[in-house]
Every structure is written in structure tokens, then in C-alpha cells.
Amino acid sequence: PSLIIIGSLGLDVDGRVINEAKAKNVRSLAINQSWDRIVCKGYPVVFPDNLIVWNHQMKEDAKNFLDFNEQKIVVLGAPVWDYLFKKDGLLSKKNFFKKINLNPAKPTVYYPLSSAFWHDELIINLKFIREAIIAKELPKDLQFILRVHPYYWRDEKLRKSLFNELEKLKKFKNIHIDYNRIIGERNAYFLKEDDNYFLKNCYHHSNLCLSVISSSMMESIFCNTPALNFIYGRWKLPGEEIDIKDYKLHHLEHLYSYNLIKHVYSVEDLINNLKHINKHKLTRKDSKKMLEGEI
């Protein structure tokens, strides 16, 4: 070929592909997939010839942290978020809420459940939300949309643990649960078109989005929905555990610098914020500032 295209600067199999391309004098182009490919995945073992990034901050990071030649970096936006701005699959709030048996007139929290790395804390969160509903500590008209992370279809033990907790929540009329079942382990992280449509409607029509240092906090803001980010609990990775509050990453600190992402530091803090959901507001001017800076 005249050109090979890869999704990272030499991570995993990409490194072997770039190396083989160089041996055959074939040019290589990396189209960056996410923030962390630049700032927290390590120094490339082999460099592609050219790099496409989302924004000017990412270009600076590639230059400063990876010694990538800035003359070979082009800023072209974030294609991963194109679907949010297209009209395909975007229903009216009335029709979307009718489809999921919720009331469009009531305040709604969208909670894309975290992956299994944060499983123990997720179970605690769901338990506290359930108990707060039973004790009538939350507004009686507050609704929830819960979406299972696709990772859970890869781990039967953790899936049973999560689904047991979700069964206790299914009895409440003000909660919709999307189980987001994937087909086959290999496709766990590839969303079907209908999944993207569902996500888009959740972001556009909810009043608040809950996030655990996830890109969902960005996606909701791009749709003018406030984001509440969890800064507590332990993150379990293969071979180690870390406290999220100590998890300082360059790209996250950069995103927080817009002062649009609000944090909660305990389960009690979460419940208190849900009690006062109406205080979370976002103007189009705010979301436009972040949108123009990031994509």
C-alpha cells in the first residue's frame, strides 16, 4: 500500500504494524483515538510518519511529551463525537421518554454505570440511591436512567453481582435500566447504531449526567447537560489499586480547568447533590467554550 492508518502511536499491535511499514518504506498515519493515547500510555517505541489529533492542546501535548514533530501533526477535530451532533436517531424529549416509560416533565438523572474497575463503589452508589428513594430523601419526582457498561458482559461473576442490585431497583417506576447487551466478547466496546441513538437521547434530554472520570462527562456537556464527576473510592486495576482522589492525570486536570465539571467526594455528597438537582445549570455559552476548545 501507499499508506497504512492506525489508531495509536505504536500501542500494542499498532507498533508492529508501523515497524513493518517502515521496513517496506510505506508511510504511516495515526488518527488519535482518545486523550490518554497522548498523555498517559507511555513513550512510543516507534513513530508513525504523521499524526491527526482532536485539538490544539493535544497537538502541544504530543510535541511536549512525545517529542513528535509538530510539522507532522494536523488538528482535525474529534470524529468519535460526530454522532452527538447529527440529527439521526434524535427523538423529541416527549417521544424518547414515552419509549422508556418515564415522564418528560420530571427531572432526570442519566447514570452510565462505571466499568468493573470501580465495581465495589458502583454497588455502594446504587445501594445508597435505592435507600435514599425508600427513605424519601430524594425529590419524589426525580427519575433515573441507568445504563450497564458493556464490560459487564465479559465477567459473569461481577455481572451477577451488579444485576442483583439492579433487580432491587427495577421495582421503582421512576427508574429505567438499559442492560446494553453486547454480542460476543470481542465486540464488547463497539456500539451498535441503536446504542449510539440511545446515548445521544440520554445526553440531550437528561438534566444531569453522573460520571466516574469518564468521557461521558464531556459528552453530556457538549449536549448542554451538566456533569457530576465522582472523586472518591478505589479504582481496581490489574496488579494494583488506587484512590481516585489521588488519580491526577494531565488530560483530566486540563478538562477540569474549564470549571464546568462539578465533583462529588463521597456517597453522602452525591445524595445531597441529587436532592438539589435544580442547582445544576449549564448555559450554551459555557458548553460552547469547552466544545470549541476540545473538538
Side-chain angles (χ1 to χ4, degrees), residues 179-248:
Y179 286 92
N180 187 29
R181 180 154 195 167
I182 54 95
I183 301 173
E185 180 179 319
R186 292 180 61 135
N187 296 321
Y189 293 101
F190 289 93
L191 300 182
K192 299 187 292 291
E193 192 171 57
D194 287 348
D195 292 323
N196 274 330
Y197 291 163
F198 180 80
L199 281 173
K200 182 190 302 190
N201 281 282
C202 288
Y203 288 130
H204 277 281
H205 298 317
S206 298
N207 298 91
L208 184 67
C209 176
L210 305 184
S211 167
V212 185
I213 56 173
S214 163
S215 60
S216 61
M217 63 189 174
M218 300 293 294
E219 292 162 340
S220 66
I221 289 174
F222 294 151
C223 298
N224 212 46
T225 296
L228 202 59
N229 186 43
F230 301 163
I231 307 289
Y232 63 86
R234 293 183 68 75
W235 195 267
K236 293 185 178 180
L237 300 165
E240 67 175 326
E241 294 184 21
I242 57 175
D243 286 311
I244 289 184
K245 64 181 175 59
D246 298 328
Y247 197 58
K248 305 293 183 185

Coordinates of all heavy atoms in Angstrom, one line a residue, residues 179-248:
Y179 N -29.8 -2.5 29.8 CA -28.8 -3.5 30.0 C -27.7 -3.6 28.9 O -26.7 -4.2 29.1 CB -29.4 -4.9 30.2 CG -30.2 -5.0 31.5 CD1 -31.5 -4.6 31.6 CD2 -29.5 -5.4 32.6 CE1 -32.1 -4.7 32.9 CE2 -30.1 -5.5 33.9 CZ -31.4 -5.2 34.0 OH -32.1 -5.2 35.2
N180 N -27.9 -2.9 27.8 CA -26.8 -2.7 26.8 C -26.1 -4.0 26.5 O -24.9 -4.1 26.5 CB -25.8 -1.7 27.4 CG -24.8 -1.3 26.4 OD1 -25.0 -1.3 25.2 ND2 -23.6 -0.9 26.9
R181 N -26.9 -5.0 26.2 CA -26.3 -6.3 25.9 C -25.4 -6.3 24.6 O -25.9 -5.8 23.6 CB -27.3 -7.4 25.8 CG -26.7 -8.8 25.6 CD -27.6 -9.9 26.1 NE -26.8 -11.1 26.2 CZ -27.2 -12.2 26.8 NH1 -28.4 -12.2 27.5 NH2 -26.5 -13.3 26.8
I182 N -24.2 -6.8 24.7 CA -23.4 -6.9 23.5 C -23.4 -8.3 23.0 O -23.8 -9.2 23.6 CB -21.9 -6.4 23.9 CG1 -21.4 -7.3 25.0 CG2 -21.9 -5.0 24.2 CD1 -20.6 -8.4 24.6
I183 N -23.0 -8.4 21.7 CA -22.9 -9.7 21.1 C -21.5 -10.1 20.9 O -20.7 -9.6 20.2 CB -23.6 -9.6 19.7 CG1 -25.0 -9.1 19.8 CG2 -23.5 -11.0 19.0 CD1 -25.7 -8.9 18.4
G184 N -21.1 -11.1 21.7 CA -19.7 -11.7 21.7 C -18.7 -10.8 22.4 O -18.8 -9.6 22.4
E185 N -17.8 -11.4 23.1 CA -16.8 -10.7 23.9 C -16.0 -9.8 23.1 O -15.6 -8.7 23.5 CB -16.0 -11.7 24.6 CG -14.9 -11.1 25.5 CD -14.1 -12.2 26.2 OE1 -14.6 -13.2 26.7 OE2 -12.8 -12.0 26.3
R186 N -15.6 -10.2 21.9 CA -14.7 -9.4 21.0 C -15.3 -8.1 20.7 O -14.5 -7.1 20.4 CB -14.3 -10.2 19.8 CG -13.5 -11.4 20.0 CD -13.2 -12.1 18.8 NE -12.4 -11.2 17.9 CZ -11.4 -11.6 17.2 NH1 -11.0 -12.9 17.3 NH2 -10.7 -10.8 16.4
N187 N -16.6 -8.0 20.6 CA -17.2 -6.7 20.2 C -17.7 -5.9 21.4 O -18.6 -5.0 21.3 CB -18.4 -7.0 19.3 CG -18.0 -7.7 18.0 OD1 -16.9 -7.3 17.5 ND2 -18.7 -8.6 17.5
A188 N -17.2 -6.2 22.6 CA -17.7 -5.6 23.8 C -17.7 -4.1 23.8 O -18.6 -3.4 24.4 CB -16.9 -6.1 25.0
Y189 N -16.8 -3.4 23.1 CA -16.7 -2.0 23.2 C -17.2 -1.3 21.9 O -17.0 -0.1 21.7 CB -15.3 -1.6 23.5 CG -14.9 -2.0 24.9 CD1 -14.1 -3.1 25.1 CD2 -15.4 -1.3 26.0 CE1 -13.8 -3.5 26.4 CE2 -15.1 -1.7 27.3 CZ -14.3 -2.8 27.5 OH -14.0 -3.2 28.8
F190 N -17.8 -2.1 20.9 CA -18.3 -1.5 19.7 C -19.8 -1.3 19.9 O -20.5 -2.3 20.0 CB -18.0 -2.3 18.5 CG -16.5 -2.3 18.2 CD1 -15.6 -3.3 18.7 CD2 -16.0 -1.3 17.3 CE1 -14.3 -3.2 18.4 CE2 -14.6 -1.3 17.0 CZ -13.8 -2.2 17.5
L191 N -20.3 -0.1 19.8 CA -21.7 0.2 19.9 C -22.4 0.0 18.6 O -22.0 0.4 17.6 CB -21.9 1.6 20.4 CG -21.3 2.0 21.8 CD1 -21.6 3.4 22.1 CD2 -21.7 1.0 22.9
K192 N -23.6 -0.6 18.7 CA -24.5 -0.7 17.5 C -25.1 0.7 17.3 O -25.1 1.5 18.2 CB -25.5 -1.7 17.7 CG -25.0 -3.2 18.0 CD -26.1 -4.2 18.0 CE -26.9 -4.0 19.2 NZ -26.2 -4.4 20.5
E193 N -25.7 0.9 16.1 CA -26.2 2.2 15.8 C -27.3 2.6 16.8 O -27.4 3.7 17.2 CB -26.8 2.2 14.4 CG -27.2 3.6 13.9 CD -27.5 3.5 12.4 OE1 -28.5 2.8 12.0 OE2 -26.9 4.3 11.6
D194 N -28.2 1.6 17.2 CA -29.2 1.9 18.1 C -28.7 2.3 19.5 O -29.3 3.1 20.2 CB -30.2 0.7 18.3 CG -31.1 0.5 17.1 OD1 -31.1 1.4 16.3 OD2 -31.7 -0.6 17.0
D195 N -27.5 1.8 19.9 CA -26.9 2.1 21.2 C -26.5 3.6 21.1 O -26.6 4.3 22.1 CB -25.7 1.3 21.4 CG -26.1 -0.2 21.7 OD1 -27.1 -0.4 22.4 OD2 -25.3 -1.1 21.3
N196 N -25.9 4.0 20.0 CA -25.5 5.4 19.8 C -26.7 6.3 19.9 O -26.6 7.4 20.5 CB -24.7 5.6 18.5 CG -23.3 5.3 18.7 OD1 -22.7 5.5 19.7 ND2 -22.6 4.9 17.6
Y197 N -27.8 5.9 19.3 CA -29.0 6.7 19.3 C -29.5 6.9 20.8 O -29.9 7.9 21.2 CB -30.1 6.1 18.4 CG -29.8 6.2 17.0 CD1 -30.5 5.3 16.1 CD2 -28.9 7.0 16.4 CE1 -30.3 5.4 14.7 CE2 -28.6 7.1 15.1 CZ -29.3 6.3 14.2 OH -29.1 6.3 12.9
F198 N -29.5 5.8 21.5 CA -29.9 5.8 22.9 C -29.1 6.8 23.7 O -29.6 7.6 24.5 CB -29.9 4.4 23.5 CG -30.4 4.3 24.9 CD1 -31.7 4.3 25.2 CD2 -29.4 4.3 26.0 CE1 -32.1 4.3 26.6 CE2 -29.8 4.3 27.3 CZ -31.2 4.3 27.6
L199 N -27.7 6.6 23.6 CA -26.8 7.5 24.3 C -27.1 9.0 23.9 O -27.2 9.8 24.8 CB -25.4 7.2 23.9 CG -24.7 6.0 24.5 CD1 -23.4 5.7 23.9 CD2 -24.5 6.2 26.0
K200 N -27.3 9.3 22.7 CA -27.5 10.6 22.2 C -28.7 11.2 22.9 O -28.7 12.4 23.4 CB -27.7 10.6 20.7 CG -27.9 12.0 20.1 CD -28.3 12.0 18.6 CE -27.3 11.2 17.8 NZ -27.5 11.4 16.3
N201 N -29.8 10.5 22.9 CA -31.0 10.9 23.6 C -30.9 11.1 25.1 O -31.4 12.1 25.6 CB -32.2 10.0 23.2 CG -32.8 10.2 21.9 OD1 -33.5 11.1 21.6 ND2 -32.4 9.4 20.9
C202 N -30.1 10.2 25.7 CA -29.9 10.4 27.1 C -29.1 11.7 27.4 O -29.5 12.4 28.3 CB -29.1 9.2 27.7 SG -30.0 7.7 27.8
Y203 N -28.1 12.0 26.7 CA -27.3 13.2 26.9 C -28.1 14.4 26.6 O -28.0 15.4 27.3 CB -26.1 13.2 26.0 CG -25.0 12.2 26.4 CD1 -24.5 11.3 25.5 CD2 -24.5 12.2 27.7 CE1 -23.5 10.4 25.9 CE2 -23.6 11.3 28.1 CZ -23.0 10.4 27.2 OH -22.0 9.5 27.5
H204 N -28.9 14.4 25.6 CA -29.7 15.6 25.2 C -30.9 15.9 26.1 O -31.3 17.0 26.3 CB -30.2 15.5 23.7 CG -29.2 15.9 22.7 ND1 -28.9 17.2 22.4 CD2 -28.3 15.1 21.9 CE1 -27.9 17.2 21.4 NE2 -27.6 16.0 21.2
H205 N -31.5 14.8 26.6 CA -32.8 15.0 27.3 C -32.7 14.9 28.8 O -33.8 15.0 29.5 CB -33.8 14.1 26.7 CG -34.1 14.3 25.3 ND1 -34.3 15.5 24.7 CD2 -34.2 13.4 24.3 CE1 -34.5 15.4 23.4 NE2 -34.4 14.1 23.1
S206 N -31.6 14.6 29.4 CA -31.5 14.5 30.9 C -31.1 15.8 31.5 O -30.7 16.7 30.8 CB -30.4 13.4 31.2 OG -30.7 12.2 30.8
N207 N -31.3 15.9 32.8 CA -31.0 17.2 33.5 C -29.6 17.1 34.2 O -29.1 18.2 34.5 CB -32.0 17.5 34.6 CG -33.4 17.6 34.0 OD1 -34.2 16.7 33.8 ND2 -33.8 18.9 33.6
L208 N -29.1 15.9 34.3 CA -27.8 15.7 35.0 C -27.2 14.4 34.5 O -27.9 13.4 34.4 CB -27.9 15.8 36.5 CG -26.7 15.7 37.3 CD1 -25.8 17.0 37.1 CD2 -27.0 15.6 38.8
C209 N -25.9 14.4 34.3 CA -25.2 13.1 34.0 C -24.1 12.8 35.1 O -23.4 13.7 35.5 CB -24.5 13.3 32.6 SG -23.5 11.8 32.1
L210 N -24.1 11.6 35.6 CA -23.2 11.2 36.6 C -22.0 10.5 35.8 O -22.2 9.7 34.9 CB -23.8 10.2 37.6 CG -25.1 10.7 38.3 CD1 -25.5 9.7 39.3 CD2 -24.8 12.0 39.0
S211 N -20.8 10.7 36.3 CA -19.6 10.2 35.7 C -18.5 9.8 36.7 O -18.4 10.4 37.7 CB -19.0 11.3 34.7 OG -17.7 10.9 34.3
V212 N -17.8 8.7 36.3 CA -16.6 8.4 37.1 C -15.4 8.6 36.2 O -15.0 7.7 35.5 CB -16.7 6.9 37.6 CG1 -15.5 6.6 38.5 CG2 -18.0 6.6 38.3
I213 N -14.8 9.7 36.3 CA -13.7 10.2 35.4 C -13.9 9.5 34.0 O -13.0 8.9 33.5 CB -12.3 9.9 36.0 CG1 -12.1 8.4 36.4 CG2 -12.1 10.8 37.2 CD1 -10.7 8.1 36.8
S214 N -15.1 9.7 33.4 CA -15.4 9.1 32.1 C -15.6 10.2 31.1 O -15.9 11.3 31.4 CB -16.7 8.3 32.3 OG -17.2 8.0 31.0
S215 N -15.5 9.8 29.8 CA -15.7 10.8 28.7 C -17.2 11.2 28.7 O -17.6 12.1 28.0 CB -15.3 10.2 27.4 OG -16.0 9.0 27.1
S216 N -18.1 10.4 29.4 CA -19.5 10.8 29.5 C -19.7 12.2 30.0 O -20.6 12.9 29.7 CB -20.3 9.8 30.3 OG -19.8 9.7 31.6
M217 N -18.8 12.6 30.9 CA -18.9 14.0 31.5 C -18.7 15.0 30.4 O -19.2 16.1 30.5 CB -17.9 14.2 32.6 CG -16.5 14.1 32.3 SD -15.4 14.2 33.8 CE -13.8 13.9 33.1
M218 N -17.9 14.7 29.4 CA -17.7 15.6 28.2 C -18.9 15.6 27.3 O -19.4 16.6 26.8 CB -16.4 15.3 27.5 CG -15.2 15.4 28.4 SD -14.8 17.1 28.8 CE -14.4 17.8 27.2
E219 N -19.3 14.4 27.0 CA -20.4 14.2 26.0 C -21.7 14.9 26.5 O -22.4 15.5 25.7 CB -20.6 12.7 25.8 CG -19.5 12.0 25.1 CD -19.4 10.5 25.2 OE1 -20.1 10.0 26.1 OE2 -18.8 9.9 24.4
S220 N -21.9 14.8 27.8 CA -23.1 15.5 28.3 C -23.0 17.0 28.2 O -24.0 17.7 27.8 CB -23.4 15.1 29.8 OG -22.4 15.6 30.6
I221 N -21.8 17.5 28.5 CA -21.7 19.0 28.4 C -21.8 19.5 27.0 O -22.4 20.5 26.7 CB -20.3 19.4 29.0 CG1 -20.3 19.2 30.5 CG2 -19.9 20.8 28.7 CD1 -19.0 19.5 31.2
F222 N -21.3 18.7 26.0 CA -21.5 19.1 24.6 C -22.9 19.1 24.2 O -23.3 19.8 23.3 CB -20.8 18.0 23.7 CG -19.3 18.0 23.8 CD1 -18.5 16.9 23.6 CD2 -18.6 19.2 24.2 CE1 -17.2 16.8 23.7 CE2 -17.2 19.1 24.4 CZ -16.5 18.0 24.1
C223 N -23.8 18.4 24.9 CA -25.2 18.4 24.7 C -25.9 19.3 25.7 O -27.2 19.3 25.8 CB -25.8 17.0 24.8 SG -25.1 15.8 23.6
N224 N -25.2 20.2 26.4 CA -25.7 21.2 27.3 C -26.3 20.6 28.5 O -27.2 21.2 29.1 CB -26.6 22.1 26.5 CG -26.6 23.5 27.1 OD1 -25.5 24.1 27.3 ND2 -27.8 24.1 27.3
T225 N -25.9 19.4 28.9 CA -26.3 18.8 30.2 C -25.2 18.8 31.2 O -24.1 18.3 30.9 CB -26.8 17.4 29.9 OG1 -27.9 17.4 29.0 CG2 -27.2 16.7 31.2
P226 N -25.5 19.3 32.4 CA -24.4 19.4 33.4 C -23.9 18.0 33.8 O -24.6 17.0 33.7 CB -25.1 20.0 34.6 CG -26.3 20.7 34.1 CD -26.7 19.9 32.9
A227 N -22.6 17.9 34.2 CA -22.0 16.7 34.6 C -21.5 16.7 36.0 O -21.0 17.7 36.5 CB -20.8 16.4 33.7
L228 N -21.7 15.6 36.7 CA -21.3 15.4 38.1 C -20.3 14.3 38.2 O -20.7 13.2 37.8 CB -22.5 15.1 39.0 CG -22.4 15.4 40.5 CD1 -22.1 16.9 40.8 CD2 -23.7 15.0 41.2
N229 N -19.1 14.6 38.6 CA -18.0 13.6 38.5 C -17.6 13.1 39.9 O -17.4 13.9 40.8 CB -16.8 14.3 37.8 CG -15.7 13.3 37.5 OD1 -15.9 12.2 37.0 ND2 -14.4 13.8 37.8
F230 N -17.5 11.8 40.0 CA -17.1 11.2 41.3 C -15.6 11.2 41.5 O -14.8 10.7 40.8 CB -17.6 9.7 41.4 CG -19.1 9.5 41.1 CD1 -19.6 8.3 40.8 CD2 -19.9 10.6 41.3 CE1 -20.9 8.1 40.6 CE2 -21.3 10.4 41.1 CZ -21.8 9.2 40.7
I231 N -15.2 11.8 42.7 CA -13.8 11.8 43.1 C -13.7 11.1 44.4 O -13.3 11.7 45.4 CB -13.3 13.3 43.2 CG1 -13.5 14.0 41.9 CG2 -11.8 13.3 43.5 CD1 -12.7 13.6 40.7
Y232 N -14.1 9.8 44.5 CA -13.9 9.1 45.7 C -13.9 7.6 45.3 O -14.3 7.2 44.2 CB -15.1 9.4 46.7 CG -16.5 9.0 46.2 CD1 -17.0 7.8 46.4 CD2 -17.3 10.0 45.6 CE1 -18.3 7.4 46.0 CE2 -18.6 9.7 45.2 CZ -19.1 8.4 45.4 OH -20.3 8.1 45.0
G233 N -13.5 6.8 46.3 CA -13.5 5.3 46.1 C -12.2 4.9 45.5 O -11.3 5.6 45.2
R234 N -12.1 3.5 45.4 CA -10.8 2.9 44.9 C -11.1 2.3 43.5 O -12.1 1.7 43.2 CB -10.4 1.8 45.9 CG -9.9 2.4 47.2 CD -9.4 1.3 48.2 NE -8.1 0.7 47.7 CZ -7.0 1.3 47.7 NH1 -6.8 2.5 48.2 NH2 -5.9 0.7 47.3
W235 N -10.1 2.5 42.7 CA -10.1 2.0 41.3 C -9.2 0.8 41.3 O -8.0 0.9 41.6 CB -9.5 3.2 40.4 CG -9.8 3.0 39.0 CD1 -8.9 2.4 38.1 CD2 -10.9 3.4 38.2 NE1 -9.5 2.4 36.8 CE2 -10.7 3.1 36.9 CE3 -12.1 4.1 38.6 CZ2 -11.6 3.4 35.9 CZ3 -13.0 4.4 37.6 CH2 -12.8 4.0 36.2
K236 N -9.8 -0.3 40.9 CA -9.0 -1.6 40.9 C -8.5 -1.9 39.5 O -9.4 -2.2 38.6 CB -9.9 -2.7 41.5 CG -10.2 -2.6 42.9 CD -11.0 -3.8 43.5 CE -11.2 -3.6 45.0 NZ -11.9 -4.8 45.5
L237 N -7.2 -2.0 39.3 CA -6.6 -2.3 38.1 C -5.8 -3.6 38.2 O -5.5 -4.0 39.4 CB -5.7 -1.2 37.6 CG -6.3 0.2 37.5 CD1 -5.2 1.3 37.4 CD2 -7.1 0.2 36.2
P238 N -5.5 -4.3 37.2 CA -4.7 -5.5 37.3 C -3.4 -5.2 38.0 O -2.6 -4.5 37.6 CB -4.5 -5.9 35.8 CG -5.6 -5.3 35.1 CD -5.9 -4.0 35.7
G239 N -3.2 -5.8 39.2 CA -2.0 -5.7 39.9 C -1.9 -4.6 40.9 O -0.9 -4.5 41.7
E240 N -2.9 -3.7 40.9 CA -2.8 -2.5 41.8 C -4.2 -1.9 42.1 O -5.1 -2.1 41.3 CB -1.8 -1.5 41.3 CG -2.3 -0.8 40.1 CD -1.3 0.4 39.7 OE1 -0.8 1.0 40.6 OE2 -1.2 0.6 38.5
E241 N -4.3 -1.1 43.2 CA -5.4 -0.4 43.5 C -5.0 1.1 43.8 O -4.0 1.3 44.4 CB -6.2 -1.0 44.7 CG -6.8 -2.3 44.4 CD -7.6 -2.8 45.7 OE1 -8.0 -1.9 46.5 OE2 -7.8 -4.0 45.8
I242 N -5.8 2.0 43.3 CA -5.5 3.4 43.6 C -6.8 4.2 44.1 O -7.9 3.8 43.7 CB -4.9 4.1 42.4 CG1 -5.8 4.1 41.2 CG2 -3.5 3.6 42.1 CD1 -5.4 4.8 40.0
D243 N -6.6 5.2 44.9 CA -7.7 6.0 45.3 C -7.9 7.0 44.1 O -7.0 7.7 43.7 CB -7.4 6.8 46.6 CG -7.5 5.9 47.8 OD1 -8.5 5.1 47.9 OD2 -6.6 5.9 48.6
I244 N -9.2 7.2 43.7 CA -9.5 8.1 42.6 C -9.1 9.5 42.9 O -8.6 10.2 42.0 CB -11.0 8.0 42.3 CG1 -11.3 6.7 41.6 CG2 -11.4 9.2 41.3 CD1 -12.8 6.6 41.1
K245 N -9.2 9.9 44.2 CA -8.8 11.3 44.5 C -7.3 11.6 44.3 O -6.9 12.7 44.2 CB -9.2 11.6 46.0 CG -8.5 10.8 47.0 CD -8.9 11.1 48.4 CE -8.3 10.2 49.5 NZ -6.8 10.3 49.5
D246 N -6.5 10.5 44.3 CA -5.1 10.7 44.0 C -4.7 10.5 42.6 O -3.5 10.5 42.2 CB -4.3 9.7 44.9 CG -4.5 9.9 46.3 OD1 -4.7 11.0 46.8 OD2 -4.5 8.9 47.1
Y247 N -5.7 10.2 41.7 CA -5.5 9.9 40.3 C -5.4 11.2 39.5 O -6.4 11.7 38.9 CB -6.7 9.1 39.9 CG -6.6 8.3 38.6 CD1 -5.6 7.3 38.4 CD2 -7.4 8.4 37.5 CE1 -5.5 6.6 37.3 CE2 -7.3 7.7 36.4 CZ -6.3 6.8 36.2 OH -6.2 6.0 35.1
K248 N -4.3 11.8 39.5 CA -4.0 13.1 38.8 C -3.5 12.8 37.4 O -2.3 12.4 37.3 CB -3.1 13.9 39.6 CG -3.5 14.2 41.1 CD -4.8 15.0 41.1 CE -5.2 15.3 42.6 NZ -6.4 16.0 42.7

